[in-house]
Amino acid sequence: MSLTQEQIDNFYRQTSKERFAQFLEQVAEHKTLWTLANEQGCVLVDTGEEQCLLLWPHQDLAESWATEEYAGCQPMGIPLDDFLDKWVPGLSNDGYDVALVPTRAGEGEVMSAKELAAELQGE
């Protein structure tokens, strides 16, 4: 189901904690996480302290980020089981964190992939 621009705008008006709560709910319901990718692979953002994989709970939210420097990127769905079984160990081994539902200003929840896995599994 597609989101309207108003739904996207309303989503980003929430605090990072509210967006994170919705992220957990939506991923639990739809069993898919979304990131941005281009021909080189997934987009990683440097926060100044961490290298992070960007994640959203909906394709349209990821796509709303595919502007300006990310204009050549496309949303890429990651099945929840694949994320937990393959991506979490890979991200952890490579020293990458995850940035969840960031705003354009860079505000969002940042955590390790293992911390996110625990949240997604209700631990």
Side-chain angles (χ1 to χ4, degrees):
M1 181 173 95
S2 293
L3 299 178
T4 66
Q5 187 59 50
E6 183 179 356
Q7 288 172 311
I8 292 170
D9 292 343
N10 287 338
F11 181 83
Y12 282 113
R13 283 188 193 105
Q14 298 178 82
T15 67
S16 59
K17 296 218 180 294
E18 291 168 333
R19 291 193 313 276
F20 179 59
Q22 281 200 8
F23 174 90
L24 294 175
E25 288 175 24
Q26 290 180 26
V27 170
E29 182 179 339
H30 301 291
K31 307 290 188 224
T32 304
L33 299 86
W34 292 88
T35 191
L36 287 177
N38 59 25
E39 59 278 351
Q40 281 91 35
C42 293
V43 172
L44 295 172
V45 173
D46 187 344
T47 68
E49 297 177 21
E50 307 95 358
Q51 287 278 343
C52 297
L53 177 71
L54 301 171
L55 293 172
W56 292 270
H58 194 284
Q59 178 178 357
D60 293 346
L61 294 170
E63 193 167 25
S64 73
W65 251 69
T67 62
E68 299 169 12
E69 64 192 284
Y70 305 107
C73 299
Q74 297 294 320
M76 182 180 90
I78 307 168
L80 178 56
D81 288 342
D82 284 353
F83 181 77
L84 295 172
D85 295 341
K86 299 173 187 168
W87 287 70
V88 169
L91 290 165
S92 298
N93 289 340
D94 293 340
Y96 296 123
D97 287 325
V98 292
L100 307 169
V101 290
T103 64
R104 277 291 185 195
E107 178 189 296
E109 297 292 312
V110 174
M111 62 185 62
S112 74
K114 288 180 180 179
E115 289 172 317
L116 176 58
E119 290 280 352
L120 290 168
Q121 294 170 322
E123 295 174 6

